Amino acid sequence: MADPAKPQDSNRPALALHVPEPKYRPGDPADFSHIDIGKAGASPRPDEGIHPSQMADLAYGLVRVLGEDNQAHGPWNPRLDPETLRTMLGHMALVRAFDERMFRGQRQGKTSFYMKCTGEEATSVAASMALASDDMVFPSYRQQGILIARGYPLIEMINQIYSNKADKLKGRQLPIMYSSREHSFFSISGNLATQCPQAVGWAMASAVKGDSRIAASWVGEGSTAEGDFHSACTFAAVYNAPVILNVINNQWAISSFSGFAGAERTTFAARGLGYGIAALRVDGNDALACYAAAEWAANRARGNHGPTLIEYFTYRAEGHSTSDDPSGYRSAQEREEWPLGDPINRLKNHLIAIGEWDEDRQAAMDLECAERVKATTKEAEKNGILGHGLHHPFHTMFEDVYEELPWHLEEQAEQAIRERIAKFGTERPFG
Amino acid sequence: MSEHPATLDENVIEERRLNMIEAINEALDIMLERDPDVIIMGEDVGYFGGVFRATAGLQAKHGKTRVFDTPISECGIIGVAVGMGAYGLRPVPEIQFADYIYPGLDQLISEAARLRYRSAGDYIAPMTVRSPFGGGIFGGQTHSQSPEALFTHVAGLKTVIPATPHDAKGLLIAAIEDNDPVIFFEPKRIYNGPFTGFYDRPVEPWKKHPDSVVPEGYYKIPLGKARTVREGEQLTVLAYGTMVHVAEAVCTAKGVDAEILDLRTLVPLDIKAIEASVEKTGRCLIVHEATRTSGFGAELSALVTERCFYHLEAPVERVTGFDTPYPHSLEWAYFPGPVRIGEAIDKLLKD
């Protein structure tokens, strides 16, 4: 036997392992001119009942509506009225203001953790606005825009981030892992891509019952490498599930560029075609294109034509989380050089170009968003911030593991409360 | 106590007798009938009726949107079931063999088990995962495993293992109605008849066993309650699944006055029944087919030692499978059979 650790002598050519490498590392000038972003308005908009095999151009191309001239172009223009566009812009601005404030809150020690979605606001706000409010969404951790678009109270978001006594999740979940049944927003899990087959299952259930509601899941491009994503695509295709599988391709999975999820060889949308799923690749920084793609996919699902996979091509403008420093692995210039710009600026410029908005109103709106978040933060802080003792009673730690407490959890709850009394005495109010 | 006759009157044969497969099939049929939200799915469970026939006839009767085949993807089967539960259905997915449940573990452990807790009751996972488990059928490494300890270690899951047709039906109905995720392991060695561990003797069918008398219609056996297989004074045997019958046969053969508890539910465990029995007998033997190290027997042994220490007259004994993968040709050397159990009983009763 040859030593498997040593190359064998042979006349055959030596094999070489390819390890993907991003184009730019810290200190490098960034240049994205190699990325073909096509032309706004150039993609055809097929009938929602189209067979996936006819969608290759849409899966490898890029659906864009907003052009360099800030006007809406082509068949994907959703033709939204100005009021809806201003609402969309307002939601996106509020998301950004919220992210800024919460990020600072983490730095000030008010909570342990936060994740921004800067640069990706359109992929949650605009996309979810195309759904009905009772369509079920299965988000990842970077779709706070859906909660804001659906009118979830900001104070509930902050209470959850602070894990305070008003936190509806009772301080059990890491900050930003929201859940709201009333808003058809599924409980966020730390385990990546698990929500994809769950969304398919929810959609299958809706179909089993002859309901009219559909489901949508969101996952980052990095997480498409998980087996759950493959399972979700297979089940969605097999059962023609009324589901939208959204992939947010923001180029980065923490420090790993999208090449480690397979982006060097194909698009993420194109994977849908292999399963027989309708596939769209969309400018993720173009709010109108995001809305139009989600609307198309929702129509397709509601018409029993089956699932759609949408790749939103965008850029993660900030660090992965408050625990991450992107200057350690990528060029600081990438954000400025990103060819698809900023989703909020582009929508703002569009509204200005069509005479429905101006810089003064934008400035006033930004100020109002910042003030609103600030005031709500102060309100939420009255319920406590992380580690300041305004937490839920100890017994709640043992509740909801099961519907009822079995004997061993009752015993452990008694132990925890005994320990609290031993440590703090019985006077402590938040038992 | 048994809720049914412990002895069989040969002259009265009107009582309906079922094997475990038939009892499970009937439980599923009843629940499909009673609750329009119950959905059965898994590999080969639909048209074909399952590789063990547990779902035979159900698709024809209830339709293919209630009982259907799935792709070969355990991750997908469990993940989709979590989503169905979030919608409001009550899915009963099947994993063809417990040995193949591992691709679904992340969905079971990180999702189904945690959903109620992490969402503070916003969402629940009222699903029952059925899966044949255990050895004794020359199934080799991947058709014989007993992975129950992987699940009993997960907060938020319930683990149920029936040992008779009567219990299989009642426990499965209770599991399906339970609003928490339940792992329902079916000991496939005893699908067709109780197995005593004396593999060289002819196998008896369930029809000759009193616990194959299965009432018609709906009934359930509460989760978390053990069954006293027989009362005794000399020692307590804690067992579940196939090993209940093996332990009982060995005690009978040796003439030992053992009290045998069929645990039926591992989590939540019937600790009161265990304490009462061990306090009475002062000796405890734990029997399971799964490998020894960190097996569920270790938890049982620790609980008995912690809670009944001053009543114990001998160290708690464990009889288990060996800490090896399940072998094919050496199955009966691996299986915790009459010799291994007999030696443990002798050791426990020595003083």
Side-chain angles (χ1 to χ4, degrees):
Chain A
M1 276 288 283
D3 181 348
K6 283 188 182 162
Q8 288 180 269
D9 292 330
S10 163
N11 291 330
R12 292 172 290 185
L15 298 170
L17 180 71
H18 172 68
V19 179
E21 190 62 40
K23 286 200 176 329
Y24 318 110
R25 287 297 195 187
D28 292 340
D31 175 6
F32 287 115
S33 57
H34 61 283
I35 295 180
D36 181 9
I37 59 169
K39 201 170 169 310
S43 300
R45 185 188 186 282
D47 182 86
E48 285 104 352
I50 188 176
H51 193 278
S53 63
Q54 304 303 305
M55 297 189 75
D57 288 349
L58 288 158
Y60 289 98
L62 201 61
V63 172
R64 302 182 63 211
V65 173
L66 287 174
E68 305 295 316
D69 58 359
N70 297 317
Q71 295 291 343
H73 297 275
W76 286 93
N77 179 4
R79 301 182 185 283
L80 297 172
D81 61 82
E83 195 50 47
T84 303
L85 291 177
R86 281 189 292 264
T87 300
M88 188 182 278
L89 182 67
H91 289 329
M92 287 163 61
L94 184 57
V95 172
R96 188 161 293 182
F98 186 81
D99 277 0
E100 287 300 326
R101 185 101 203 162
M102 292 302 109
F103 187 91
R104 260 190 294 151
Q106 189 277 339
R107 290 295 189 248
Q108 292 162 353
K110 292 175 182 171
T111 190
S112 59
F113 183 74
Y114 193 71
M115 295 176 109
K116 291 174 153 185
C117 68
T118 312
E120 303 173 35
E121 292 88 349
T123 62
S124 55
V125 169
S128 65
M129 282 178 73
L131 303 176
S133 61
D134 58 354
D135 287 335
M136 186 72 179
V137 298
F138 290 75
S140 82
Y141 45 66
R142 228 183 282 282
Q143 279 76 49
Q144 51 266 56
I146 299 174
L147 279 176
I148 287 184
R150 288 192 166 181
Y152 188 67
L154 284 188
I155 191 159
E156 301 294 359
M157 294 174 77
I158 305 173
N159 287 335
Q160 196 281 327
I161 289 165
Y162 285 171
S163 279
N164 62 24
K165 67 174 179 181
D167 173 12
K168 287 193 166 176
L169 305 184
K170 303 185 181 178
R172 292 171 183 159
Q173 272 276 50
L174 197 65
I176 74 159
M177 305 279 183
Y178 313 104
S179 173
S180 176
R181 191 178 180 86
E182 286 160 49
H183 294 78
S184 296
F185 186 97
F186 191 67
S187 157
I188 297 174
S189 168
N191 293 65
L192 298 175
T194 49
Q195 72 275 18
C196 298
Q198 292 165 358
V200 174
W202 196 98
M204 288 169 66
S206 188
V208 164
K209 287 293 187 186
D211 197 345
S212 61
R213 293 176 291 166
I214 64 171
S217 69
W218 275 256
V219 72
E221 93 286 348
S223 306
T224 63
E226 294 283 5
D228 296 66
F229 183 73
H230 166 66
S231 297
C233 291
T234 303
F235 277 68
V238 166
Y239 301 102
N240 202 45
V243 67
I244 306 171
L245 300 169
N246 296 304
V247 175
I248 308 300
N249 176 6
N250 66 11
Q251 317 302 320
W252 291 93
I254 309 186
S255 75
S256 300
F257 88 114
S258 58
F260 284 100
E264 286 182 335
R265 315 273 167 147
T266 185
T267 69
F268 293 95
R271 289 170 191 209
L273 301 182
Y275 292 95
I277 295 177
L280 299 170
R281 188 161 176 269
V282 178
D283 177 349
N285 291 13
D286 176 343
L288 297 187
C290 292
Y291 182 98
E295 184 183 41
W296 187 92
N299 289 342
R300 181 177 173 85
R302 284 188 223 288
N304 274 317
H305 300 299
T308 303
L309 191 160
I310 304 175
E311 173 185 351
Y312 294 96
F313 196 67
T314 182
Y315 185 77
R316 195 194 76 208
E318 298 266 2
H320 166 71
S321 72
T322 48
S323 306
D324 179 46
D325 175 9
S327 71
Y329 51 80
R330 70 183 188 187
S331 167
Q333 285 188 359
E334 283 191 16
R335 180 176 177 173
E336 304 150 32
E337 296 299 324
W338 180 246
L340 297 173
D342 177 86
I344 296 181
N345 281 339
R346 285 175 66 190
L347 183 58
K348 178 192 81 173
N349 291 339
H350 172 59
L351 270 163
I352 292 172
I354 60 173
E356 293 288 346
W357 197 242
D358 57 55
E359 292 289 358
D360 288 347
R361 290 167 80 182
Q362 178 75 25
M365 184 183 75
D366 284 343
L367 188 65
E368 193 191 317
C369 286
E371 289 299 327
R372 185 174 157 202
V373 174
K374 189 178 168 187
T376 313
T377 304
K378 288 206 184 320
E379 203 56 35
E381 283 175 10
K382 290 179 189 162
N383 299 319
I385 57 173
L386 184 68
H388 282 215
L390 291 168
H391 48 64
H392 283 267
F394 278 29
H395 194 269
T396 63
M397 174 163 58
F398 301 91
E399 295 161 7
D400 299 326
V401 177
Y402 300 95
E403 187 170 32
E404 288 164 11
L405 258 68
W407 65 270
H408 63 288
L409 287 181
E410 284 289 10
E411 285 188 2
Q412 290 167 28
E414 285 163 23
Q415 179 183 357
I417 292 164
R418 228 174 29 246
E419 288 173 4
R420 177 185 60 75
I421 293 167
K423 202 171 162 193
F424 300 113
T426 50
E427 299 308 306
R428 195 143 170 112
F430 303 103
Chain B
M1 289 297 97
S2 298
E3 296 89 343
H4 45 90
T7 54
L8 182 58
D9 183 345
E10 295 291 341
N11 300 317
V12 183
I13 49 166
E14 286 108 64
E15 291 165 318
R16 210 174 51 118
R17 290 166 179 275
L18 302 180
N19 67 28
M20 195 182 276
I21 293 278
E22 291 162 338
I24 287 164
N25 184 273
E26 193 168 278
L28 295 171
D29 188 22
I30 288 168
M31 289 313 295
L32 282 163
E33 194 77 53
R34 281 175 71 95
D35 185 346
D37 292 331
V38 169
I39 294 282
I40 292 173
M41 60 172 176
E43 297 158 20
D44 307 298
V45 307
Y47 182 85
F48 179 61
V51 295
F52 290 104
R53 317 304 303 147
T55 55
L58 298 180
Q59 186 182 70
K61 185 171 172 189
H62 300 280
K64 67 178 191 174
T65 61
R66 304 282 311 279
V67 182
F68 53 84
D69 294 315
T70 64
I72 302 174
S73 168
E74 290 75 16
C75 161
I77 292 168
I78 307 290
V80 156
V82 172
M84 289 177 162
Y87 178 92
L89 299 189
R90 200 168 278 280
V92 186
E94 177 185 298
I95 300 296
Q96 200 160 78
F97 287 86
D99 314 65
Y100 303 132
I101 203 166
Y102 310 127
L105 275 193
D106 189 37
Q107 285 286 349
L108 277 171
I109 295 175
S110 308
E111 302 294 319
R114 314 285 197 235
L115 191 53
R116 179 192 294 279
Y117 190 76
R118 78 173 195 229
S119 70
D122 251 2
Y123 298 98
I124 60 172
M127 60 198 268
T128 301
V129 182
R130 288 182 43 247
S131 191
F133 98 131
I137 56 147
F138 281 101
Q141 292 188 24
T142 56
H143 298 82
S144 307
Q145 293 168 39
S146 298
E148 66 273 16
L150 296 177
F151 299 94
T152 57
H153 191 54
V154 179
L157 293 182
K158 293 178 176 174
T159 303
V160 177
I161 300 172
T164 68
H166 175 269
D167 281 6
K169 179 176 169 183
L171 287 168
L172 181 53
I173 288 174
I176 293 171
E177 289 193 340
D178 198 283
N179 288 325
D180 292 314
V182 179
I183 310 295
F184 193 86
F185 280 136
E186 300 165 2
K188 59 185 167 299
R189 184 64 180 82
I190 57 171
Y191 266 155
N192 292 306
F195 177 60
T196 60
F198 293 93
Y199 59 90
D200 41 0
R201 295 179 193 169
V203 175
E204 298 250 297
W206 271 116
K207 315 277 171 183
K208 294 193 172 180
H209 193 286
D211 290 331
S212 71
V213 175
V214 176
E216 289 193 60
Y218 171 92
Y219 69 93
K220 60 179 175 177
I221 295 172
L223 305 187
K225 291 278 178 241
R227 171 178 70 105
T228 304
V229 179
R230 64 177 224 185
E231 293 185 4
E233 299 294 331
Q234 275 185 293
L235 79 155
T236 297
V237 178
L238 305 180
Y240 46 90
T242 303
M243 301 317 294
V244 169
H245 304 283
V246 180
E248 187 182 13
V250 176
C251 291
T252 303
K254 288 179 74 75
V256 176
D257 184 23
E259 179 148 302
I260 301 177
L261 292 187
D262 171 6
L263 299 178
R264 300 201 288 201
T265 304
L266 305 191
V267 175
L269 187 65
D270 190 347
I271 193 69
K272 287 204 175 81
I274 295 171
E275 286 174 0
S277 180
V278 175
E279 284 172 13
K280 179 175 74 171
T281 64
R283 290 178 164 85
C284 182
L285 171 67
I286 294 157
V287 189
H288 63 59
E289 204 181 328
T291 50
R292 185 177 182 86
T293 301
S294 303
F296 190 66
E299 181 64 28
L300 290 171
S301 175
L303 285 169
V304 168
T305 306
E306 287 162 2
R307 303 170 87 94
C308 310
F309 185 76
Y310 295 106
H311 293 87
L312 287 175
E313 291 167 41
V316 177
E317 276 290 316
R318 281 184 288 162
V319 170
T320 69
F322 292 128
D323 284 335
T324 71
Y326 209 112
H328 184 240
S329 67
L330 297 178
E331 171 143 75
W332 300 119
Y334 172 92
F335 189 88
V339 172
R340 204 175 304 157
I341 294 171
E343 283 187 351
I345 290 174
D346 291 345
K347 193 175 162 195
L348 269 169
L349 298 180
K350 196 170 55 193
D351 300 319

